[in-house]
């Protein structure tokens, strides 16, 4: 088992990484002195993966929307009737799971009995048990979860924006699906998705805490050996070709909110992965900090004009099959805010001195990331599934120039790739 | 230079209306610094309390505009700074937090702690004033933003329902007051009033200063003594717990929502400094603190009525809150199941296993808090304002000694006070 220490040592971090014969990758980060050990077992499978070909087959499969999230819920149920919540409770560990557009993550956080917690996490993810009865029962719970999101204005604002930006890519649909789509889910659908995407070669194990990395890797390797799995071939994820233009330029919804919520998005060309994708992420992140970060002239003019509050923000997000910027927050006057931004975003001067300061901020935030194990695991997993090593960030930050940012701006603000979502109060 | 002594607990003391607390540790890559003026939450001054931190955030003598302040924070490797108003029981906290990356992990090892202390000191002691007052345009802009923040409280339905419940329970007691005040109160604040208010706080309000990270406690104490040690400050009073009584008062309100929010408030008559507190913590944990607890198992897993169902205690005002997000039509069923679980606790229907799981879950929670600088500071503040109580390993020990008889005794003391249900406009079944 040849291990390899990544070059994160500059900031005092020495992660150890391993790839098992089954294809499962493991990363362990020792954090001496911390009380808590945090572990995630994640699959590169999210809400948008609803159309695919299984390795070695030619048949394409379509599954109901929201199934990845449904599957996440159902993994907690086991044949003997006791669910995994109970086993973690016996160990005094906290467990949870979350589903996103491109990944599903199972986790525990514990301050003792780490080996037993690892065993339980492995069992949670590796032993599916779906029956018509237990699948039916979950529908009521998930329906309440969906209804809870439907009452969250910020969540609707963002969901509606994606729906408007994308004509075909399933990122336009809610992660949890709809009350109607989840009603059609069957145990058979769940098994197909499980067997396709919960294969070790599509998964990643992350552990951080006051632990011995060799011992953790050895422990997981032993558990995995019993399954005698070999790496599967590549899963073919089928995404419809996304046209350049948006689905709808402007969408509105009325909700019981106090003031309008406004969000504008720009669809970006997707298809990058690895270092190129990270570079794009970094360039776009720097661009938004320069244009609309809290130290920018534009942010402060809008703030003083009363058009935005301090929570107004802009960010770029990307995966292999989609990429976009989203800018927004609460505003008393959506039209005026939109026209100010359209007028100034392409014209704001980008200054070298400001650029150096923003890079400094990014370096500080990179170091601080290693203090919060939840955020760290989240970031590490998200980068990994896009073919990126988190440790590349400082080097890429170093490489990027102001000219790169200027070039990205010239290309990004295209009117036909722009959409706006607004939540309006009742009259 | 790095401080070598890391005791992993708070050093410091409360004296003459000021307290300084330092938690020297090598566990973190950042240093978190917190300062607050502590006030009684009351209608006459709360609007000024809500506004002042935001106005101080707008400029100092050294960095006179918001942009310059932000640029300084960016230069400190992305230091994060927050100035806002908090609430704990019947206290209003005018709070300032700054977090910086410890220089030892940065290129050229800058002294970020000194820079962060300077920044905080500038904000508190040297605000940007024009002719001795806060500029009108700054005050007006911040007033407008706070008024919008007050109206926006209805956006988050879960939080809204919870705050309505607390208001109904408090029924005039000060812990039910909103920390931001009302739009009318905000309108009455002027730049002059705010300067007087700032000076009053600087001279008279109890002041707390806390630091967590790899720092030298002597240096922090010195900074505190030199900068904020003087003055004749009011003594700190502890939080007044709930003393009222409602007879299962039920209030139903309607909005355009997709999910009903059911919240129940119970009187516990126990705060964190009471000897029965560990038994109350165990009680609430068995009932609804975790995913092995009665509420989660019965409301969610068995009846599939909710995605979430929990209970939690307020250690300061002696209340326990139960909450669940449910279908409008399931109100009676959910309330019945919840009340059955409360009844089961009174009848002593919980197993040694449920107690053991709950103790382990709290052990995990309490120890995990120690990995989070913000939570460490929060815990210290809570103890200060409640006037005692256990935390960390001592709390875990006390929880481990709680007997089932003690839990039943607490269960019999816990009484349903007020119920609040937020439902849809189309739900005709529940008369308001």
């Amino acid at each position: 088992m040849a291990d390899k220490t990544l070059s994160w040592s500059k900031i005092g971090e020495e992660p150890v990484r391993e790839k098992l014969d089954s294809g499962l990758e493991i990363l362990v980060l020792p954090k001496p002195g911390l009380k808590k050990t945090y572990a995630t077992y994640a699959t590169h499978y999210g809400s948008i993966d609803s159309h695919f070909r299984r390795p070695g087959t030619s048949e394409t499969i379509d599954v109901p929307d929201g199934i990845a999230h449904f599957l996440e819920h159902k993994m907690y149920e086991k044949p003997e009737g006791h669910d995994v919540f109970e086993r973690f409770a016996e160990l005094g560990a906290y467990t949870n799971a979350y589903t996103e557009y491109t990944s599903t993550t199972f986790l525990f956080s514990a301050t003792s009995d780490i080996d037993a917690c690892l065993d339980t996490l492995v069992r949670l993810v590796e032993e599916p048990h779906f029956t018509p009865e237990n699948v039916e029962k979950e529908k009521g719970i998930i329906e309440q979860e969906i209804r809870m999101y439907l009452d969250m204005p910020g969540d609707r604002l963002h969901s509606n924006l994606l729906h408007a930006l994308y004509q075909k890519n399933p990122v336009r649909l809610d992660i949890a699906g709809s009350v109607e789509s989840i009603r059609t889910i069957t145990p058979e659908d769940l098994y197909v998705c499980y067997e396709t995407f919960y294969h070790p070669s599509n998964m990643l194990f992350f552990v951080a805490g006051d632990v011995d990395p060799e011992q953790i890797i050895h422990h997981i390797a032993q558990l995995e050996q019993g399954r005698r799995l070999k790496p599967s071939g590549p899963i073919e994820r089928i995404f419809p070709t996304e046209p350049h233009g948006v689905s709808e330029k402007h969408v509105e919804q009325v909700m019981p909110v106090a003031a309008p919520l406004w969000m504008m998005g720009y669809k970006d060309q997707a298809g990058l992965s690895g270092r190129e994708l990270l570079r794009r992420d970094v360039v776009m992140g720097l661009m938004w900090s320069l244009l609309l970060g809290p130290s920018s002239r534009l942010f402060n003019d809008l703030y003083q004009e009363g058009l935005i509050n301090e929570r107004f923000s802009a960010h770029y997000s990307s995966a292999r099959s989609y990429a976009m910027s989203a800018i927004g927050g609460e505003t008393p006057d959506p039209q005026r805010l939109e026209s100010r931004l359209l007028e100034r975003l392409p014209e704001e001067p980008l200054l070298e001195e400001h650029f150096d300061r923003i890079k400094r901020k990014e370096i500080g935030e990179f170091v601080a990331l290693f203090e919060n194990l939840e955020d760290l695991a989240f970031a590490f997993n998200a980068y990994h599934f896009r073919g990126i090593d988190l440790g590349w960030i400082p080097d890429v930050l170093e490489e990027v120039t102001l000219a790169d940012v200027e070039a990205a701006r010239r290309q990004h603000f295209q009117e036909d790739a722009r959409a706006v979502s607004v939540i309006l109060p009742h009259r | 230079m790095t401080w070598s002594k890391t005791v992993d607990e708070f050093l410091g003391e409360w004296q003459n209306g000021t307290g300084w607390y330092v938690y020297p540790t090598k566990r973190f890559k950042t240093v978190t610094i917190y300062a607050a003026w502590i006030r009684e939450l009351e209608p006459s001054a709360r609007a000024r309390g809500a506004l002042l931190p935001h106005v101080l955030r707008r400029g100092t003598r050294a960095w006179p505009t918001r942009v310059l302040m932000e640029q300084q924070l960016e230069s400190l490797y992305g230091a994060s700074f927050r100035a806002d108003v908090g609430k704990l029981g019947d206290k209003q906290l005018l709070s300032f937090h700054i977090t910086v990356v410890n220089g030892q992990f940065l290129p050229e090892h800058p002294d970020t702690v000194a820079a962060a202390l300077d920044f905080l000191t500038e904000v508190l002691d040297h605000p940007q004033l024009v002719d001795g007052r806060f500029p009108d345009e700054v005050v007006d802009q911040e007033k407008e933003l706070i008024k919008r923040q007050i109206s926006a409280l209805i956006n988050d339905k879960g939080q809204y329902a919870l705050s309505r419940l607390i208001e109904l329970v408090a029924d005039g007691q000060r812990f039910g007051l909103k920390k931001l005040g009302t739009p009318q109160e905000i309108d009455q604040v002027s730049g002059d009033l705010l300067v007087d208010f700032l000076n009053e706080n600087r001279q008279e309000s109890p002041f707390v200063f806390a630091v967590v990270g790899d720092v030298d406690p002597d240096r922090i104490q010195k900074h505190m003594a030199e900068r904020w040690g003087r003055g004749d400050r009011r003594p700190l009073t502890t939080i007044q717990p709930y003393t009222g009584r409602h007879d299962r008062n039920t209030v139903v309100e309607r909005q355009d929502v997709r999910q009903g929010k059911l919240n129940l408030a119970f009187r516990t008559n126990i705060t964190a400094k009471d000897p029965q507190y560990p038994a109350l913590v165990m009680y609430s944990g068995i009932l609804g603190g975790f995913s092995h607890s009665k509420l989660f198992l019965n409301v969610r897993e068995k009846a599939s009525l909710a995605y979430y169902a929990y209970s939690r205690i307020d250690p300061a005002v002696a209340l326990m809150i139960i909450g669940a997000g449910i279908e409008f039509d399931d109100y009676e069923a959910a309330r019945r199941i919840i009340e059955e679980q409360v009844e089961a606790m009174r009848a002593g229907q919980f197993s040694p296993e449920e107690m053991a799981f709950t103790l382990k879950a709290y052990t995990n929670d309490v120890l995990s808090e120690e990995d989070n600088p913000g939570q460490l500071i929060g815990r210290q503040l809570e103890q200060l304002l409640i006037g005692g109580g256990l935390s960390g390993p001592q709390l875990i020990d006390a929880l481990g000694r709680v007997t089932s008889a003690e839990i039943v005794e607490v269960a019999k003391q816990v009484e349903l006070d007020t119920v609040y249900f937020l439902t849809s406009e189309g739900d005709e079944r529940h008369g308001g």
Side-chain angles (χ1 to χ4, degrees):
Chain A
M1 298 204 299
D3 65 58
K4 138 173 118 180
T5 301
L6 302 174
S7 57
W8 303 356
S9 50
K10 267 187 238 167
I11 55 164
E13 299 292 343
E14 289 179 357
V16 180
R17 151 190 295 214
E18 177 65 59
K19 187 168 184 170
L20 302 181
D21 294 343
S22 63
L24 178 64
E25 288 194 59
I26 306 172
L27 184 126
V28 184
L29 184 67
K31 299 291 290 181
L34 285 196
K35 312 264 171 165
K36 168 169 88 182
T37 296
Y38 185 77
T40 65
Y41 196 175
T43 165
H44 184 200
Y45 167 55
S47 65
I48 67 171
D49 300 305
S50 54
H51 192 49
F52 53 89
R53 255 183 221 108
R54 303 182 62 180
T57 67
S58 57
E59 184 199 359
T60 63
I61 295 175
D62 276 297
V63 287
D65 297 325
I67 194 165
H69 172 257
F70 201 104
L71 183 52
E72 172 229 297
H73 270 240
K74 273 338 286 175
M75 290 310 296
Y76 278 88
E77 195 128 11
K78 298 300 170 205
E80 66 272 25
H82 303 275
D83 67 14
V84 181
F85 280 122
E86 194 170 327
R87 178 62 185 141
F88 276 119
E90 264 174 51
L91 296 167
Y94 169 80
T95 179
N96 208 341
Y98 52 86
T99 306
E100 292 167 282
Y101 292 114
T102 58
S103 65
T104 310
T105 306
F106 298 85
L107 62 94
F108 76 78
S109 163
T111 48
S112 65
D113 295 306
I114 303 308
D115 281 354
C117 288
L118 288 170
D119 296 349
T120 309
L121 181 59
V122 164
R123 220 186 137 219
L124 164 59
V125 172
E126 297 184 358
E127 286 181 30
H129 175 65
F130 314 131
T131 65
E133 296 74 34
N134 74 28
V135 167
E136 217 42 50
K137 192 199 80 179
E138 202 68 24
K139 291 177 182 173
I141 296 171
I142 295 182
E143 186 171 328
Q144 285 311 313
E145 187 179 358
I146 292 172
R147 289 185 190 279
M148 180 178 81
Y149 299 138
L150 292 178
D151 281 337
M152 293 180 169
D155 204 78
R156 293 325 306 155
L157 179 71
H158 188 255
S159 274
N160 293 352
L161 177 66
L162 286 173
H163 196 77
L165 278 175
Y166 284 87
Q167 300 187 41
K168 303 276 189 199
N169 192 294
V171 73
R172 69 197 302 273
L173 304 171
D174 288 357
I175 290 172
S178 65
V179 169
E180 294 73 30
S181 75
I182 62 157
R183 286 200 182 124
T184 69
I185 290 173
T186 64
E188 292 70 36
D189 293 333
L190 292 170
Y191 276 113
V192 166
C193 293
Y194 178 83
E195 279 155 20
T196 307
F197 293 103
Y198 282 56
H199 187 282
S201 49
N202 191 47
M203 302 190 70
L204 176 63
F205 217 118
F206 175 96
V207 183
D210 196 348
V211 295
D212 170 8
E214 297 301 334
Q215 189 268 326
I216 297 279
I217 289 170
H218 181 71
H219 189 87
I220 298 171
Q222 283 207 313
L223 291 171
E224 284 304 290
Q225 227 167 18
R227 297 212 290 167
R228 299 177 190 284
L229 288 171
K230 291 285 159 229
S232 70
I235 305 160
E236 195 185 335
R237 301 157 204 263
I238 304 163
F239 295 108
T241 308
E242 178 65 32
H244 182 70
V246 299
S247 170
E248 283 173 273
K249 294 199 73 59
H250 185 96
V251 284
E252 286 181 3
Q253 183 180 346
V254 173
M255 286 182 80
V257 291
L261 303 179
W262 178 88
M263 190 173 263
M264 174 168 83
Y266 284 97
K267 189 157 68 168
D268 196 17
Q269 203 153 22
L272 302 178
S273 71
R275 208 164 168 113
E276 272 185 304
L277 179 54
L278 176 61
R279 206 184 145 84
R280 180 77 185 159
D281 256 20
V282 166
V283 168
M284 296 305 287
L286 290 169
M287 180 191 85
W288 282 121
S289 289
L290 284 167
L291 286 174
L292 264 181
S295 72
S296 67
R297 212 180 58 168
L298 179 51
F299 182 100
N300 280 276
D301 289 349
L302 297 172
Y303 184 94
Q304 292 193 23
E305 211 185 331
L307 284 173
I308 63 173
N309 61 29
E310 62 185 355
R311 289 177 295 283
F312 186 82
S313 69
H315 66 269
Y316 182 75
S317 56
S318 66
R320 292 174 199 252
S321 77
Y322 67 86
M324 56 174 279
S325 289
I327 309 112
E330 192 185 279
T331 180
D333 192 341
Q335 281 93 7
R336 195 144 58 104
L337 176 58
E338 185 174 337
S339 66
R340 287 279 187 283
L341 286 168
L342 291 183
E343 180 189 315
R344 288 186 57 180
L345 285 175
E347 303 300 330
E348 279 305 283
L350 303 178
L351 306 175
E352 200 68 58
E353 171 252 357
H354 191 179
F355 187 59
D356 292 342
R357 238 185 7 247
I358 297 281
K359 275 192 173 183
R360 231 191 219 214
K361 173 181 88 103
E362 297 284 338
I363 287 289
E365 286 174 358
F366 176 72
V367 177
L369 182 61
F370 287 82
E371 178 162 304
N372 182 318
L373 302 186
E374 286 85 349
D375 292 353
L376 178 64
F378 180 88
F380 181 81
N381 293 341
Y383 280 122
H384 179 88
F385 291 139
R386 292 184 288 159
I388 297 166
D389 188 320
L390 182 82
W392 297 342
I393 291 176
D395 286 347
V396 171
L397 263 175
E398 190 69 43
E399 286 162 28
V400 168
T401 65
L402 190 58
D404 295 330
V405 174
E406 188 59 77
R409 167 165 73 170
R410 294 286 155 240
Q411 174 263 325
H412 193 54
F413 297 130
Q414 298 187 25
E415 191 51 29
D416 56 350
R418 182 176 78 90
V420 167
S421 161
V422 188
I423 303 290
L424 291 169
H426 288 274
R427 283 174 185 281
Chain B
M1 193 193 73
T2 305
W3 178 245
S4 58
K5 189 173 161 229
T6 56
V7 297
D8 286 345
E9 62 180 31
F10 276 105
L11 308 172
E13 60 182 348
W14 186 267
Q15 212 175 23
N16 301 329
T18 46
W20 67 275
Y21 300 94
V22 185
Y23 189 103
T25 177
K26 289 192 181 299
R27 289 209 294 281
F28 306 123
K29 286 198 142 60
T30 59
V31 174
T32 301
I33 305 173
Y34 175 84
W37 289 304
I38 302 165
R39 302 187 57 84
E40 297 303 318
L41 182 54
E42 55 192 2
S44 63
R46 62 177 167 172
R48 276 172 280 167
L51 263 167
L52 183 63
H54 291 277
V55 170
L56 293 178
R57 182 75 172 81
R58 293 293 301 273
T60 74
R61 191 184 54 181
W63 302 290
T65 66
R66 200 173 194 287
V67 178
L68 293 170
M69 289 176 85
E70 289 294 342
Q71 291 181 354
Q72 174 63 11
L73 293 168
E74 282 171 0
S75 300
L76 290 176
Y77 291 87
S80 76
F81 179 66
R82 270 179 26 232
D84 52 24
V85 63
K87 171 185 164 179
L88 210 52
D90 55 13
K91 308 293 178 221
Q92 190 187 34
L93 299 151
L94 282 52
S95 300
F96 304 85
H97 320 239
I98 184 163
T99 300
V100 282
V101 173
N102 200 316
Q104 55 188 294
F105 302 106
L106 292 168
E108 290 154 32
H109 309 301
D111 189 349
T112 49
V113 175
L117 285 171
D118 283 349
F119 189 88
L120 184 64
T121 307
E122 268 288 306
V123 172
L124 298 183
D125 290 355
H126 304 291
Q128 168 70 1
L129 300 178
V130 177
D131 300 329
R133 47 183 289 157
F134 290 108
D136 285 340
E137 74 218 39
V138 165
V139 175
D140 290 345
Q141 284 161 12
E142 295 302 328
K143 280 165 70 172
E144 186 55 36
L145 287 170
I146 297 264
K147 283 198 282 182
R148 284 189 214 151
Q149 206 184 328
I150 293 168
S151 334
L153 294 174
I154 65 157
N155 291 10
D156 181 335
K157 300 304 164 198
Q159 278 305 315
Y160 174 78
L162 216 51
S163 85
R164 281 292 294 129
L165 176 73
I166 298 297
E167 236 168 30
L168 290 164
V169 172
D171 206 1
Q173 254 188 280
R174 288 194 297 106
F175 71 83
L177 293 172
K178 292 206 168 66
K179 65 182 179 184
L180 297 175
T182 64
Q184 294 75 22
E185 289 165 15
I186 296 288
D187 276 333
Q188 285 158 16
V189 181
S190 67
D192 289 343
L193 272 178
L194 271 182
V195 173
D196 295 343
F197 183 73
L198 168 66
N199 290 331
E200 185 222 300
N201 280 298
R202 290 186 52 208
Q203 285 154 24
E204 296 168 26
S205 285
F207 180 78
V208 61
F209 183 53
V211 182
V212 173
D214 192 3
V215 292
D216 172 358
D218 295 338
R219 178 180 175 186
I220 301 301
Q221 186 186 16
K222 191 159 164 275
H223 190 89
M224 172 78 194
E226 282 171 5
R227 291 292 178 171
W228 302 304
R230 300 175 300 276
D232 186 16
R233 297 178 185 276
R234 290 186 299 271
L236 188 68
T237 56
T238 55
I239 294 167
Q240 198 57 39
Y242 177 49
T243 53
R245 184 182 185 87
H246 298 97
D247 187 20
R248 305 164 67 91
N249 178 28
T250 299
V251 175
V252 179
E253 290 181 352
R254 290 190 173 71
Q255 275 187 22
D256 170 22
V257 291
R258 302 285 166 278
Q259 183 184 62
K261 306 283 182 201
L262 175 58
N263 289 94
L264 298 85
F266 295 76
R267 300 183 289 275
T268 68
N269 300 307
I270 299 167
T271 72
K273 67 180 168 193
D274 293 316
Q276 278 187 304
Y277 182 70
L280 176 67
V281 172
M282 288 297 290
Y283 163 81
S284 170
I286 295 168
L287 177 62
F290 305 97
S291 56
H292 67 262
S293 303
K294 290 185 185 298
L295 291 175
F296 189 85
L297 291 182
N298 289 287
V299 181
R300 170 169 154 149
E301 297 293 298
K302 288 207 183 115
S304 296
L305 290 182
Y307 170 63
Y308 69 86
Y310 67 87
S311 68
R312 59 171 186 77
I313 45 181
D314 184 322
V317 298
L319 284 173
M320 177 177 77
I321 307 297
I322 290 181
I326 58 170
E327 196 68 39
F328 312 117
D329 289 346
D330 290 335
Y331 169 80
E332 276 87 10
R335 183 164 170 180
R336 190 189 66 223
I337 295 173
I338 288 171
E339 294 204 48
E340 278 168 10
Q341 306 316 308
V342 174
E343 203 44 58
M345 292 298 296
R346 280 192 195 116
Q349 290 165 9
F350 50 87
S351 62
E353 191 181 58
E354 287 173 274
M355 285 177 70
F357 285 10
T358 300
L359 176 62
K360 282 193 170 176
Y362 277 124
T363 304
N364 189 38
D365 278 6
V366 170
L367 289 178
S368 298
E369 279 169 14
E370 305 192 352
D371 287 348
N372 183 315
Q375 286 183 341
L376 280 170
I377 290 172
R379 183 158 117 174
Q380 187 67 18
L381 266 180
E382 230 174 55
Q383 276 186 355
L384 191 65
L385 293 176
I386 294 172
L390 302 173
S391 68
Q394 290 171 318
L395 175 60
I396 295 169
D397 284 349
L399 295 175
R401 287 195 300 272
V402 171
T403 65
S404 57
E406 289 167 340
I407 296 172
V408 173
E409 206 175 301
V410 163
K412 287 179 176 158
Q413 245 170 273
V414 172
E415 290 174 307
L416 181 57
D417 190 275
T418 303
V419 180
Y420 176 81
F421 185 46
L422 180 64
T423 186
S424 80
E425 284 159 343
D427 177 17
E428 300 296 333
R429 287 153 42 99
H430 306 106

